[in-house]
Amino acid sequence: MRTRSTAPSEQPDTEQKNLKVPTTAQTPSKTFVLPSAAGDDSRFITLPNPRTGEPSRYFFCPKLGVYEFTVVGSTPQFPRSILFTPKPNTKSSNGEDDHSQAKGTISRVAELYVATPIDVMFFMIPLLAPATSTHTKRLFQPLDDIIDSQDDLASHLRRILYNEDFRSVLQSRVEAVCDSVEAGDEKMFRFDEGKLLKELIAKAERIVAQGLPASLEERFVRQALVTPLMSVKREETIIGGTSSLADDGEGESQDKQETQSTTTASVSTPSGVSTPATELSAESNLESTTRDNMAHLLRISTVLSFIKESYISPQLCARLDELLATPETPVDLKPLHDHLQHIAELRAQALATQSLGDFSRKRGADDDEAAESRAEKKRRKEEEEKKKKAGESRGVRDLKKVNTAGMKKMSDFFTKAAPKKKS
C-alpha cells in the first residue's frame, strides 16, 4: 500500500503496453490498520460509546483486548490518495514480470483507521455506576449479577463480558475501580469513585511521563503559562545607584564604572536595600522549580480533562471534579488554578495598560480582529485556488501561459456582421 499526491511519471511505450491502469474503487472502502498479533477469533464489534452511549465500531481480540479506531487522514490543503497493489508479480514463461494479472485499485480518500487500545474499564463504568443510582447507596454484588441486571445490554458487549478467555482481564479492571469482599467462593464488588479518580490520575501520570505531543504541549501548556511583559519605569530599574539626565559625561562614566563593580556583589532595589547576588540566584532557582511544578500539574490536568471528556459520562465527570476539589484528592490542583488565575489577572492588567497608556498605537483590538479575518479570507481564497489548479488538466494550464496579446477573442468571430452601407 502506498500513498501518492502527484501523478505517476510517464513510462516507456514498451512497458505501457503490458501495464493496466488501476481502477478507482466503485464502492466507498475503509482502510484499517489492525494489530499484527491479533488471533483468528478477533472480530469487529459494535459497542456503546462509554461517554455518550451511541453505538460505535471497535475491534476485539480475547488475547489483546478492545481497540478503538483513530482516523489518520490527509489535510484539505494537500489531498492524497492510496494505491492498493497485489502481491509481487509472478514470472511468465520467458522469465519476465507478468503484469497482466495485476489488478490494483485507487482510493481517492487517503484515510487510515488505526486500531488503538482502549481500557475495557471504561465500558464497565456505566454498568457499575448507572446514572440513575448516583445518590443511592450501592451494595456489594457479584460481577455476573451486575451484568445480568442490565436488561438493555448490547449483544456484542454481553459476548465480551462472558468471554472465558477475557474474563480474568475484565475482573482485574473491575477491581481497579471497585471495593471488593470475599463471599465464600465468590468475589463481590462495589463501585468506588475515589478509586476511579486514582486510576485516571495514574493513567495521566503515565502519559505525561512518556511526553505529550509537541502540538498539545505548545497549545495547552506553554501558551497557558506565558506571563505578559509588564511596562516598567526607567527609574525603578537602575542598578548600582541613581542617575540623572543632567549629569555630565564624566559623571556618567563614573556611574557606569560603579555599576560594573557592584553588580557582581549586590543589586540595589528602589527602596535602597542591597540584595546579594546569591539570594537572587536562589530566588531564580525557586521560580524555575515553581514553573516546572506548574507545568507538570498543567500536563496532568490537560490529560485528565481529555480522558474525562472522551470516556466518562458528564454526570460522573461532575462528581470527579468535586473530589478533585476536596482536601483528600490524590493530586492537589489548587496551586495550578491559583497560578492560572494570577496569569489571567496579569494579562488583563497588561491589556488595560496597553490600551490606556500607549496612545501612539494606531490599531486597536477591533483592528487586530479585522486583520485576522482578512488573513483567514486570504488563506481560504488561496486554498480554493489550489483546489482549482489541482482539478485543471495540463492542457488548460499550458493554454493559460500562451501569449494572446494582439489576438482576437473567440467571441469576436460569432458576433453579427455590421450592416453594409447603401451606395
Side-chain angles (χ1 to χ4, degrees):
M1 180 184 68
R2 296 177 295 175
T3 59
R4 64 176 190 175
S5 57
T6 58
S9 58
E10 296 183 358
Q11 300 290 340
D13 295 340
T14 56
E15 295 184 6
Q16 287 183 350
K17 294 179 180 179
N18 297 327
L19 291 177
K20 289 185 179 181
V21 179
T23 58
T24 304
Q26 299 297 329
T27 59
S29 59
K30 295 182 179 180
T31 306
F32 294 92
V33 180
L34 305 179
S36 58
D40 297 336
D41 51 353
S42 303
R43 295 291 184 271
F44 286 94
I45 56 177
T46 301
L47 301 178
N49 185 280
R51 178 176 175 85
T52 62
E54 296 294 331
S56 303
R57 182 62 62 87
Y58 296 90
F59 181 78
F60 173 67
C61 176
K63 182 175 62 175
L64 303 178
V66 183
Y67 288 78
E68 62 180 346
F69 292 104
T70 304
V71 182
V72 180
S74 58
T75 59
Q77 296 83 0
F78 303 99
R80 304 178 70 89
S81 59
I82 301 179
L83 173 63
F84 294 93
T85 58
K87 294 181 180 180
N89 300 313
T90 57
K91 297 292 183 177
S92 60
S93 58
N94 56 3
E96 298 180 355
D97 291 340
D98 185 8
H99 299 278
S100 59
Q101 302 298 328
K103 294 181 180 180
T105 58
I106 296 175
S107 177
R108 293 184 178 181
V109 181
E111 288 185 349
L112 300 177
Y113 291 80
V114 183
T116 54
I118 178 175
D119 196 344
V120 72
M121 175 192 72
F122 295 117
F123 296 98
M124 293 300 300
I125 291 175
L127 308 182
L128 299 171
T132 57
S133 61
T134 303
H135 300 285
T136 59
K137 185 177 180 180
R138 303 187 184 95
L139 303 176
F140 286 94
Q141 289 180 305
L143 183 58
D144 292 337
D145 292 352
I146 296 175
I147 298 174
D148 293 337
S149 63
Q150 306 296 324
D151 298 331
D152 55 348
L153 192 63
S155 59
H156 287 182
L157 180 57
R158 186 181 297 274
R159 188 177 302 175
I160 290 177
L161 300 181
Y162 283 108
N163 189 294
E164 294 297 334
D165 298 334
F166 193 65
R167 187 72 172 186
S168 59
V169 177
L170 180 65
Q171 186 166 344
S172 64
R173 299 312 300 150
V174 170
E175 291 179 0
V177 294
C178 291
D179 296 327
S180 60
V181 293
E182 295 288 345
D185 297 336
E186 195 173 19
K187 184 173 289 189
M188 306 177 70
F189 303 95
R190 183 179 64 184
F191 180 69
D192 186 1
E193 297 169 347
K195 283 192 172 183
L196 173 60
L197 182 59
K198 292 180 181 179
E199 187 68 20
L200 297 181
I201 293 176
K203 287 179 177 292
E205 290 178 347
R206 288 195 297 268
I207 295 175
V208 171
Q210 295 176 0
L212 297 181
S215 58
L216 297 182
E217 179 77 16
E218 178 65 25
R219 180 178 177 183
F220 295 101
V221 179
R222 294 179 183 176
Q223 293 183 6
L225 296 178
V226 170
T227 56
L229 295 176
M230 306 295 291
S231 59
V232 183
K233 295 182 180 180
R234 181 175 181 273
E235 57 269 16
E236 294 181 358
T237 58
I238 298 175
I239 299 177
T242 60
S243 62
S244 175
L245 296 176
D247 293 341
D248 54 5
E250 182 179 357
E252 291 179 358
S253 62
Q254 184 177 0
D255 290 342
K256 291 181 181 179
Q257 292 177 359
E258 293 178 357
T259 300
Q260 294 176 358
S261 61
T262 57
T263 300
T264 57
S266 64
V267 178
S268 298
T269 61
S271 60
V273 180
S274 179
T275 304
T278 55
E279 294 184 8
L280 290 179
S281 177
E283 291 179 358
S284 62
N285 293 335
L286 180 61
E287 291 179 357
S288 177
T289 304
T290 303
R291 185 167 55 252
D292 294 341
N293 293 336
M294 292 299 106
H296 180 71
L297 289 177
L298 185 54
R299 293 187 186 99
I300 292 179
S301 177
T302 301
V303 176
L304 191 61
S305 300
F306 174 78
I307 295 175
K308 291 190 299 181
E309 294 176 2
S310 300
Y311 307 110
I312 306 297
S313 63
Q315 296 83 359
L316 190 54
C317 285
R319 178 57 184 159
L320 293 178
D321 292 337
E322 294 177 0
L323 293 178
L324 283 172
T326 59
E328 294 79 12
T329 176
V331 56
D332 187 9
L333 298 179
K334 188 178 183 303
L336 174 63
H337 297 326
D338 295 341
H339 186 69
L340 293 178
Q341 185 177 0
H342 176 64
I343 292 177
E345 293 175 355
L346 291 179
R347 289 176 179 174
Q349 294 177 7
L351 182 60
T353 304
Q354 187 178 18
S355 59
L356 295 176
D358 191 2
F359 297 101
S360 62
R361 190 172 183 266
K362 296 182 180 180
R363 296 189 305 172
D366 296 338
D367 297 334
D368 292 339
E369 293 179 359
E372 292 179 359
S373 63
R374 288 194 297 268
E376 181 67 18
K377 291 180 180 179
K378 183 179 179 181
R379 185 182 64 81
R380 291 180 180 178
K381 185 177 180 181
E382 291 177 353
E383 291 179 0
E384 292 177 357
E385 291 178 354
K386 288 181 180 179
K387 291 181 180 179
K388 290 180 180 180
K389 290 181 180 180
E392 292 177 351
S393 62
R394 182 177 179 182
V396 174
R397 290 196 298 267
D398 293 341
L399 286 175
K400 288 183 178 180
K401 299 178 183 179
V402 176
N403 186 9
T404 59
M407 297 184 183
K408 287 186 177 182
K409 296 182 178 179
M410 291 294 295
S411 59
D412 295 340
F413 294 96
F414 299 96
T415 56
K416 294 182 179 180
K420 296 181 179 180
K421 294 182 179 181
K422 298 181 179 180
S423 55

